[in-house]
Every structure is written in C-alpha cells, then in structure tokens.
Amino acid sequence: MPTPSSQPFCASSIIGTGSYMPAKVLTNDDLSKIVDTSDEWITTRTGIKERRIAAPDEATSDMAAEAARRAMADAGVSAEDIQLIIVATVTPDMFFPSTACFVQKKIGAVNAVCFDVSAACSGFLYALQVARHFINTGNRITALVIGAEKLSSLVNWQDRNTCVLFGDGAGAVVIRRACENEPEAQGRVLSTVMGSDGNLTDLLKVPGGASACPITPENVASRPNTIHMEGRETFKHAVTRMLEASQQALEMAGLSAKDVSLVIPHQANARIIGAIADRLGLPEEKVFMNLDKYGNTSAATIPVALDEARRAGRIKKGDVVLLVAFGGGFTWASSVVRW
Ligand code: UT7
C-alpha cells in the first residue's frame, strides 16, 4: 500500500460521481390506493410526487455496485485502482458480511478494504469524512464512498405516516488524494462537520429485528422491524441541526453562505430544505432538489443529487457546493466542496 511521506499539503477530491435508481416508479396516486392518503397531502406536506422501488431480487449492494461502476467510469479509474470501499446504509444486504464486501465482489475491486457505516440519512457524509481521514493521511489514495438504500424493505406499507416518504436508490463518488503541487483537482473537500445526539434515538428508528428486539412469533404482527418516526419532532431538529452544521462547515472552510454556488441538502422534505435555504439567505436557484422524483432515500440522497446536479450542468469549475444531512440517531453532518 502506498504511504507517501507527504511534504505538500494533500486533500481529498471527488473525481467522479455516479448513481442508480431502480426502474419501478410508485406514485402518490398509487399509494393512495394502499393507505388513506392523497397526492395533495403528500405533495403539500413533503414535495414528494413519486419514489423508486427496487425489484424483489435487487439488493442494496446491486444498486450500490451499479452506482459505483458509473462513478468509476466518470472518474476514469478501474476497479483495481480502488483501495477502500465504504458503504453508508441502514438497509444492508445482511447483518454481515458488510454490503461493501458484496460491492467489492460485484465490481471486482480486489485491492480494496471494505466496510459499512451506519449513520442513517447522514451516513454518506459520515462515510465521506471517514474516507477523507484515510486519504488525507496517505493511508489510501483512491476510494469509493457509496450511499445506498433499499428502504422499501423497512417500510410498513400500512403506516401512512411513514410509507409515503421513502424510496430506494444508490449514489457513489470516487475520491482521490490530490496534493497542492498537482494540477488542481475538481471536487476538493474543504471541510466536514459531524454531530450526534444519542438521547434522541427514540424519535426515528427501526426498533425490531436486531439484538434489542429480535423478531418472534409473538411480536411479528406489530411489525417492529419497520420505520417508526415522530415526524414533527424530527422536522424541528432537522432544521436546527442542518442550519448549524452548514454554518459551521462554511466557517471551517473560511467561507460564508454568500460564497455558496449550490446547496445539496438531504432530500427528506421540501419544507425543511426551504427553511434552511431561507435562513442561510440562499435563493431557490442555489438549492438542488430531486425529492419530487425519489422521495427520501436516506444515505443515498446526497450522492444521487450530487451526481444529477453535475450531469445537469448545475456545478461548474470553481463552484462552492454545500452538502448537508440529518438523520436517525440523531445524526447530522455538512461538507463544503470546491469544484
Ligand atoms: O430523513 C430523516 C429526517 N426525516 C425528516 O426530516 C422528516 C421530518 N418530518 C416530516 O417531514 C414531516 O413531519 C412529515 C412529512 C413526516 C409529516 O408532516 P407534518 O406536517 O409534520 O404532519 P403531522 O405528522 O403533524 O400530521 C398532520 C396530520 C395528522 O392528522 P391529524 O392528527 O391532524 O388529524 C396525520 O395523521 O396529517 C395526517 N397524516 C396524513 N394524512 C394524509 C399523516 N400522514 C398522512 C398521509 N396522508 N400520508
């Protein structure tokens, strides 16, 4: 493994992005035939119009591997170049092996070290920060950071409070060590801040199906292995923490909100995103949203949105991009990237 002695300042750069969304579309109207809801309620309260649902035989690692292939093609790197794979997910293929190990096998990244990160909807930015530590210290040169979820496997399709919110999909980035004496790399990660509050674990969780509450014949009917959320409380904390994290990440990068070219927030609710943009003083055209098409795909929202924003020409060389997330735990994180 290369371990440069690193005299020049070296940092992590996002050199490629990719995403994969499953083909099946589930619209709000489709959902209104399953639970007592309506397109009007879902659109007004969340901004979501439809979401993607993975095929029964499509696992999180299948979506993650396809997003990874697309990111590697975009970056112009081969699977053998990848030395680290981190998958952020709360819907792993299995408890173990890690989803990252399945991805390794599917893409043939024989030189990689692989593991998963669990930080719910903040997972991608947590994983990006972990990868940065490997890369900035010279321990690894090239890494894949993936956010991938099959949330349809954790949804209680009889609970209208939650089933309308979530969807499936995967996004990936290739990050590589780039030193100051090299030509400026695109997508340089300037700062990341992270936070957690374990006192609030009860507000957003999947309580059953693991060691604290295994599924038994007695409890299976109450569906403890599905998503439970206190929506209003979660909403309030999401706004506060995402705003705080954004401001801290900008400050750490020596920037302010007026320097931001585009904010790519976690895609949970258009009203949360609107509240944060307002408080940061960012106009609508500087805010990227695709939750109308995909709903909340947890750890996948940011890498999918980043990939779509790049491909749509919304990110140009020199742009400052603010990434910010909030999720179960509670967890939150924000990163500033200069393109
Ligand atoms: O990704 C991690 C972070 N997650 C989030 O940030 C999500 C944060 N929370 C939210 O986005 C919102 O709280 C929700 C979209 C989940 C809910 O919106 P809300 O405006 O907070 O609605 P509410 O939960 O206060 O419910 C209002 C009403 C209730 O009826 P009553 O008690 O006022 O009669 C609900 O039963 O809306 C009802 N309701 C629905 N009605 C139609 C809840 N879900 C539905 C539904 N269709 N799907």
Side-chain angles (χ1 to χ4, degrees):
M1 188 54 52
T3 50
S5 57
S6 95
Q7 297 323 319
F9 170 73
C10 297
S12 302
S13 283
I14 297 174
I15 61 163
T17 61
S19 58
Y20 168 84
M21 303 307 287
K24 184 179 171 188
V25 175
L26 185 69
T27 66
N28 291 348
D29 285 334
D30 295 334
L31 277 169
S32 70
K33 294 176 189 123
I34 307 172
V35 284
D36 180 15
T37 190
S38 64
D39 175 49
E40 198 272 331
W41 191 95
I42 303 169
T43 306
T44 331
R45 300 291 179 125
T46 70
I48 299 165
K49 299 293 287 182
E50 57 188 45
R51 66 289 293 144
R52 299 298 178 91
I53 304 295
D57 62 351
E58 196 171 29
T60 295
S61 67
D62 293 313
M63 295 187 279
E66 191 48 37
R69 285 185 200 101
R70 294 175 187 183
M72 289 189 297
D74 185 44
V77 301
S78 70
E80 290 77 21
D81 293 329
I82 302 295
Q83 298 167 328
L84 172 69
I85 300 174
I86 308 180
V87 176
T89 188
V90 290
T91 48
D93 288 22
M94 303 175 186
F95 280 130
F96 72 89
S98 70
T99 302
C101 281
F102 287 111
V103 172
Q104 175 185 36
K105 179 178 169 192
K106 286 173 185 172
I107 66 174
V110 289
N111 298 315
V113 164
C114 308
F115 58 91
D116 292 355
V117 159
S118 171
C121 304
S122 311
F124 174 76
L125 292 183
Y126 270 55
L128 184 67
Q129 178 69 341
V130 174
R132 270 183 90 203
H133 283 303
F134 277 89
I135 285 180
N136 291 6
T137 56
N139 185 281
R140 295 290 187 279
I141 302 295
T142 309
L144 261 171
V145 180
I146 305 171
E149 302 284 9
K150 186 174 178 177
L151 290 172
S152 58
S153 66
L154 286 185
V155 163
N156 177 353
W157 294 105
Q158 278 134 37
D159 177 12
R160 70 175 183 172
N161 291 295
T162 53
C163 76
V164 302
L165 305 173
F166 300 102
D168 302 334
V173 300
V174 176
I175 64 171
R176 189 156 65 192
R177 183 174 166 91
C179 298
E180 60 189 348
N181 56 351
E182 295 170 9
E184 199 192 349
Q186 59 172 325
R188 188 171 286 238
V189 184
L190 302 180
S191 65
T192 300
V193 299
M194 305 191 296
S196 314
D197 186 350
N199 288 319
L200 300 173
T201 45
D202 269 347
L203 298 181
L204 177 51
K205 63 185 177 184
V206 175
S211 63
C213 173
I215 299 299
T216 63
E218 291 72 37
N219 70 16
V220 68
S222 68
R223 309 293 311 277
N225 57 332
T226 56
I227 299 169
H228 292 58
M229 178 169 72
E230 299 293 331
R232 273 186 220 180
E233 277 304 302
T234 303
F235 188 111
K236 284 190 261 172
H237 287 280
V239 173
T240 311
R241 293 304 191 180
M242 286 168 84
L243 182 64
E244 249 173 40
S246 299
Q247 288 164 334
Q248 288 167 3
L250 283 166
E251 194 182 326
M252 195 182 279
L255 299 168
S256 72
K258 66 177 174 7
D259 300 307
V260 172
S261 317
L262 189 68
V263 55
I264 298 183
H266 172 51
Q267 307 281 312
N269 187 315
R271 290 185 294 136
I272 295 178
I273 294 173
I276 296 159
D278 273 357
R279 281 164 216 194
L280 288 171
L282 292 172
E284 213 175 290
E285 64 272 14
K286 288 192 172 184
V287 181
F288 191 85
M289 272 204 262
N290 61 4
L291 59 72
D292 55 323
K293 296 187 291 179
Y294 305 138
N296 181 348
T297 57
S298 190
T301 64
I302 289 181
V304 169
L306 178 61
D307 185 47
E308 291 201 343
R310 281 190 63 228
R311 287 172 204 276
R314 300 272 305 267
I315 302 176
K316 299 177 298 302
K317 192 165 167 50
D319 276 358
V320 170
V321 179
L322 174 68
L323 311 174
V324 59
F326 179 85
F330 284 141
T331 57
W332 55 91
S334 179
S335 259
V336 177
V337 184
R338 187 186 295 281
W339 232 267

